[in-house]
Amino acid sequence: SITVDGRSASLLKQHDQPKSILLELHASGVAPQVQVAMSRSDKVARELQALLVLPEANKPIKQGSTWNIPFDPSHANDVEYLSRLISRLKQRDCLPDAPVLVMGYSGGARMASYLAYLKPELLTAIGVVGGLIHPSVNGPLTVQTKSNVHILAFHSENDPVNPYQITEATPTPAYWLSDIPTTMENWQQSMACNQVATAHLTAQVSL
């Protein structure tokens, strides 16, 4: 494990000489080790020859913990914590130029979105499920330069927690202020993408 800002993160080293760093950000209320069992990120890390890092949120909720986004000043700043964690890992393991990849599910996906938006210089790519957001919808943020972070996002159109589409009749959590089509448009602008390609894999799945 590694300790940064008094918080311990578990490390799963899949190779003697890792070539990349993979952070997995757990869903709200889900323990990091349970998240690994769900996502099989250990298998992903082996294939990528990556050092797998399992940080843990510490903002308490009814069951477990959640990431502190949008930022609540009464709790730790998780964007800064994860940034320092990445920097410490690169220094400790002599990986100054290693790609940094972030996986996130639900609340972890929202946290990965914030990290990609506010600290794009630290990341190579994020892969998120059920929680991609564009942080600007949660209030004023420092204007970012063009982001070069690659984003792979999966989101069910039938998601009952973080709805794909928002209508007047849609019950949504307080943090979920934008639907996925709008979020994609916002990221397109942030990344200066001029074209969007869509591939229909099946009647139910489009890329």
Side-chain angles (χ1 to χ4, degrees), residues 36-191:
V36 171
M38 293 168 53
S39 68
R40 297 298 306 275
S41 57
D42 54 338
K43 180 180 178 181
V44 176
R46 281 195 297 273
E47 292 177 353
L48 295 175
Q49 298 184 40
L51 173 65
L52 179 58
V53 188
L54 306 175
E56 185 169 8
N58 71 351
K59 181 179 179 180
I61 54 176
K62 192 172 183 179
Q63 292 182 331
S65 61
T66 190
W67 301 100
N68 186 20
I69 49 165
F71 177 61
D72 176 352
S74 64
H75 296 279
N77 186 324
D78 283 330
V79 170
E80 294 303 322
Y81 161 64
L82 293 173
S83 299
R84 285 191 285 271
L85 176 61
I86 291 168
S87 297
R88 184 76 62 82
L89 286 165
K90 285 193 165 192
Q91 182 180 34
R92 192 200 74 154
D93 289 73
C94 299
L95 297 168
D97 301 315
V100 177
L101 315 168
V102 180
M103 295 174 60
Y105 175 64
S106 194
R110 293 188 289 112
M111 184 69 248
S113 301
Y114 263 78
L115 198 59
Y117 184 77
L118 293 173
K119 300 289 183 177
E121 70 279 4
L122 295 179
L123 307 184
T124 305
I126 66 171
V128 298
V129 177
L132 179 70
I133 61 172
H134 194 274
S136 62
V137 303
N138 289 117
L141 293 170
T142 302
V143 176
Q144 300 301 298
T145 58
K146 176 183 175 183
S147 174
N148 291 319
V149 179
H150 299 279
I151 298 176
L152 177 64
F154 297 89
H155 204 107
S156 169
E157 293 183 351
N158 297 317
D159 191 323
V161 178
N162 299 325
Y164 185 89
Q165 295 275 10
I166 294 178
T167 67
E168 292 183 0
T170 306
T172 60
Y175 59 76
W176 196 251
L177 301 179
S178 175
D179 58 22
I180 293 301
T182 303
T183 293
M184 295 302 294
E185 290 177 3
N186 289 337
W187 273 110
Q188 182 184 348
Q189 293 176 8
S190 292
M191 302 176 80

